[in-house]
C-alpha cells in the first residue's frame, strides 16, 4: 500500500500505510471485511438503543403503573443520552482506532441490555432506575458517530455512498428487529428458563403469560460474539488527530448546513422510531380514553365495532421502511449525487407530514371514521419514514464529497450526534404540545431544508454540488 503522510502507530492492529484512493494498492478485502463486522456490531448497537422503545409501551400491561408522560420520557431518554454520547464517540476513531473502539463499545452494550431484562422480569423497579437504564441504552446510539466515520476511512470516495449506506441502513434494521421480535419472543413458553413469567393485560383481550425479560436476554450472546469478532479481526487506519484538531470542522459553514439537513432526515427517523408505538396507542388505542375505558381483560371499548390496533403489530414497519430506503437508495446517490435526493427527501417529508396531520386527531364518532383516521395516520407515518430514509442515504453521500477525508469523518460523527437527539426531542415535543402543533413545526423545518439544499448543493451552479 502507498505510504500516507500520517505518523506510524505502534501495535499490530494499526495499518502502517493506507490510501483507498489508489486502486492499485487499496485492500478491498480488508475494507469489506471491516464493513461487515462493524455493520453487525452497529446493528446490535441499534438493538440496545431502541430496546426501551419496544419494552416501554407494554410496561403498564405487565404490572407497572406509569403515566403517559412518564412513558414518553422513558422512550425519550435514550435519544438524549445517545446524542450526548455521540459527541464523545465522534472524536474516538483517530484517537483509539477502529478495533478498540468497536470491540469495547459492543461489550458495553451488555450491561444496559442485561439490566432491562432483569427489571422487566418483576415489575417492581422504581421509576428512577428505569430512567438510568434508558440513559445507558444511549451507548448504542453513541456508537454510530464513531463507527460510521471509522468505516469511511477504509473506502474511496466513489464507494462511500454504497458502503456507508449499507452500514447505516442495515444497522438501522436493528430498530425494526427489536420491535418486530419483542412481541413474539416474550410469548415463547419454551423460554421459561430465562426467569419467572408475567401476566400481560391488554384491553379487550384475555390475560396471557409472557416472559418479558426474554426481549432483552436473547440479544446478550450476539453482543458478546460481536465484541469478540471485532477484537479478533478488525484493524485500525493510521489517521491521527487530537480533539482540538478535529474541531476545525466547526469553522466550515457546510458543517452547520449538513447538520440541519441530517436533523431533518435521521432526527425524524430516530425520533419517530422511538415514539411510534406510544403515539399510535395514545391516538387510536388503549391510551385514548374516548376509545377504551378501563384496563386489562375487563376494559370496555367505547366505539362499537372498532378493533383496537396493537401497536406491536405495526410499530416495526416504520423503521423497516426507513432502513430499507437507506440501503436501496444508496447506490442511486453514488450514481446521481446526494444533493438531488436530499432535495427530493425534503419535498417528500413536507407532503407526507401534512398528510399525516389529518390523522392526528381521531374522529371517534364511529368505528368507520376511527378506522379511516387510523389508516391515514399509519400510511402517512410510513411515507415519512420512507422519505427520511432516502435523506439518510443522500446526506451521507454528500458529506464525503463536500469535505476532505478526516473532516468528512468528523462531520459524519457530529451530524449523527446532533440528529440522535431525535427521540428525546420528539418525546419532549409530544409531551409539551399537541401532536398537530409538533408536526407543523416539522413541516416548517423540512421546507427550510429544501430551500437550503437547492441553494447550496442541488441547483445548477450551486456553490457546493454534491
Amino acid at each position: 500500500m502507498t505510504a500516507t503522510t500520517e505518523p506510524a502507530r505502534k501495535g499490530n492492529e494499526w495499518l502502517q500505510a493506507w490510501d483507498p484512493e489508489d486502486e492499485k494498492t487499496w485492500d478491498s478485502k480488508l475494507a469489506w471485511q471491516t464493513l461487515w463486522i462493524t455493520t453487525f456490531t452497529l446493528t446490535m448497537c441499534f438493538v440496545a438503543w431502541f430496546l426501551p422503545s419496544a419494552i416501554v409501551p407494554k410496561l403498564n400491561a405487565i404490572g407497572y403503573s406509569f403515566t403517559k408522560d412518564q412513558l414518553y420520557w422513558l422512550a425519550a431518554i435514550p435519544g438524549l443520552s445517545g446524542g450526548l454520547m455521540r459527541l464523545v464517540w465522534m472524536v474516538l476513531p483517530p484517537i483509539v482506532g477502529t478495533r478498540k473502539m468497536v470491540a469495547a463499545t459492543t461489550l458495553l452494550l451488555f450491561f444496559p441490555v442485561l439490566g432491562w431484562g432483569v427489571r422487566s422480569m418483576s415489575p417492581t423497579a422504581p421509576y428512577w432506575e428505569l430512567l438510568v437504564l434508558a440513559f445507558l441504552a444511549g451507548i448504542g446510539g453513541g456508537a454510530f458517530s464513531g463507527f460510521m466515520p471509522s468505516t469511511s476511512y477504509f473506502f474511496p470516495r466513489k464507494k462511500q455512498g454504497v458502503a456507508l449506506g449499507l452500514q447505516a441502513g442495515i444497522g438501522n434494521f436493528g430498530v425494526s428487529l427489536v420491535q418486530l421480535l419483542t412481541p413474539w419472543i416474550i410469548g415463547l413458553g419454551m423460554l421459561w428458563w430465562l426467569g419467572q413469567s408475567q401476566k400481560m393485560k391488554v384491553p379487550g383481550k384475555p390475560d396471557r403469560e409472557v416472559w418479558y425479560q426474554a426481549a432483552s436476554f436473547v440479544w446478550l450472546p450476539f453482543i458478546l460474539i460481536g465484541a469478540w469478532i471485532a477484537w479478533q479481526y478488525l484493524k485500525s487506519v493510521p489517521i491521527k488527530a487530537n480533539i482540538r484538531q478535529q474541531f476545525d470542522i466547526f469553522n466550515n459553514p457546510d458543517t452547520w448546513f449538513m447538520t440541519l439537513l441530517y436533523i431533518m432526515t435521521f432526527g425524524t427517523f430516530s425520533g419517530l422510531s422511538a415514539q411510534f408505538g406510544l403515539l399510535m396507542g395514545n391516538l387510536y388505542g388503549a391510551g385514548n380514553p374516548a376509545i377504551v375505558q378501563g384496563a386489562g381483560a375487563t376494559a370496555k371499548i367505547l366505539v362499537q365495532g372498532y378493533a383496537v390496533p396493537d401497536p406491536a403489530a405495526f410499530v416495526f414497519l416504520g423503521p423497516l421502511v426507513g432502513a430499507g430506503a437507506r440501503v436501496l437508495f444508496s447506490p442511486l446517490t453514488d450514481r446521481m449525487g446526494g444533493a438531488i435526493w436530499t432535495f427530493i427527501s425534503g419535498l417528500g417529508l413536507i407532503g407526507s407530514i401534512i398528510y399525516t396531520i389529518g390523522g392526528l386527531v381521531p374522529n371517534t364518532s364511529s368505528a368507520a371514521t376511527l378506522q379511516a383516521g387510523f389508516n391515514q395516520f399509519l400510511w402517512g407515518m410510513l411515507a415519512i419514514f420512507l422519505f427520511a430514509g432516502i435523506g439518510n442515504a443522500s446526506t451521507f453521500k454528500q458529506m464525503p464529497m463536500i469535505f476532505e477525508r478526516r473532516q468528512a469523518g468528523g462531520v459524519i460523527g457530529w451530524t449523527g450526534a446532533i440528529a440522535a437527539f431525535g427521540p428525546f426531542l420528539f418525546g419532549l415535543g409530544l409531551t409539551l404540545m399537541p401532536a398537530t402543533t409538533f408536526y407543523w413545526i416539522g413541516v416548517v423545518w423540512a421546507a427550510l431544508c429544501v430551500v437550503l439544499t437547492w441553494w447550496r448543493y442541488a441547483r445548477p451552479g450551486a456553490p457546493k454540488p454534491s
Side-chain angles (χ1 to χ4, degrees), residues 366-382:
S366 70
T369 56
L370 259 179
Q371 188 61 52
F374 174 73
N375 291 339
Q376 180 172 350
F377 167 76
L378 178 61
W379 286 109
M381 291 286 285
L382 294 182

Side-chain angles (χ1 to χ4, degrees), residues 99-410:
R99 181 193 182 206
K100 292 188 182 74
M101 179 191 64
V102 174
T105 302
T106 307
L107 187 60
L108 285 174
L109 302 176
F110 185 89
F111 301 102
V113 173
L114 175 66
W116 273 107
V118 171
R119 301 316 274 160
S120 297
M121 195 181 310
S122 178
T124 58
Y127 185 66
W128 68 264
E129 191 171 326
L130 296 183
L131 283 175
V132 171
L133 288 174
F135 188 88
L136 292 177
I139 294 171
F144 186 88
S145 285
F147 286 30
M148 295 295 289
S150 179
T151 299
S152 73
Y153 298 157
F154 286 83
F155 287 87
R157 288 185 175 184
K158 68 179 182 180
K159 294 183 180 294
Q160 285 189 18
V162 170
L164 296 182
L166 285 172
Q167 180 169 38
I170 296 174
N172 289 170
F173 277 126
V175 183
S176 286
L177 199 61
V178 70
Q179 293 178 340
L180 171 64
L181 294 182
T182 293
W184 178 69
I185 292 171
I186 64 175
L188 288 180
M190 67 181 67
L191 298 178
W192 60 268
W193 51 273
L194 289 176
Q196 66 190 46
S197 63
Q198 305 86 37
K199 288 292 184 183
M200 179 172 285
K201 301 180 179 182
V202 178
K205 298 181 180 179
D207 296 351
R208 70 185 182 111
E209 189 177 20
V210 296
W211 287 261
Y212 217 56
Q213 66 274 12
S216 303
F217 291 161
V218 72
W219 302 109
L220 296 178
F222 297 101
I223 289 171
L224 294 177
I225 290 170
W228 181 82
I229 292 174
W231 184 257
Q232 286 292 113
Y233 296 104
L234 288 181
K235 298 290 185 180
S236 298
V237 173
I239 291 179
K240 186 177 181 180
N242 60 35
I243 294 176
R244 183 178 178 181
Q245 290 170 328
Q246 292 184 61
F247 281 2
D248 64 357
I249 62 175
F250 299 122
N251 297 325
N252 190 327
D254 287 297
T255 297
W256 303 104
F257 295 151
M258 293 307 302
T259 300
L260 296 176
L261 299 183
Y262 202 55
I263 290 173
M264 176 186 72
T265 61
F266 187 77
T268 299
F269 171 86
S270 61
L272 288 182
S273 294
Q275 302 295 338
F276 192 11
L278 283 173
L279 184 60
M280 182 185 299
N282 288 334
L283 289 174
Y284 290 96
N288 189 333
I291 297 174
V292 177
Q293 187 179 74
T298 61
K300 181 181 179 182
I301 299 175
L302 301 180
V303 183
Q304 187 174 5
Y306 176 65
V308 176
D310 181 359
F314 298 96
V315 69
F316 72 93
L317 290 174
L320 182 66
V321 169
R326 189 168 197 164
V327 172
L328 294 176
F329 278 83
S330 292
L332 292 178
T333 65
D334 269 346
R335 189 178 307 166
M336 301 172 60
I340 187 61
W341 284 108
T342 302
F343 182 72
I344 293 171
S345 168
L347 291 176
L349 283 170
I350 292 172
S352 53
I353 294 173
I354 291 175
Y355 176 79
T356 306
I357 288 173
L360 295 179
V361 183
N363 183 337
T364 58
S365 60
S366 70
T369 56
L370 259 179
Q371 188 61 52
F374 174 73
N375 291 339
Q376 180 172 350
F377 167 76
L378 178 61
W379 286 109
M381 291 286 285
L382 294 182
I384 293 173
F385 276 107
L386 170 66
F387 287 107
I390 292 172
N392 287 338
S394 60
T395 49
F396 265 45
K397 172 61 180 178
Q398 287 182 262
M399 284 181 264
M401 303 303 295
I402 295 171
F403 303 92
E404 58 94 3
R405 178 171 295 275
R406 179 184 59 78
Q407 281 197 327

Side-chain angles (χ1 to χ4, degrees), residues 65-84:
S65 56
F66 299 130
T67 66
K68 288 183 184 179
D69 286 354
Q70 285 178 314
L71 292 175
Y72 272 131
W73 277 106
L74 276 179
I77 287 299
L80 174 64
S81 60
L84 293 173

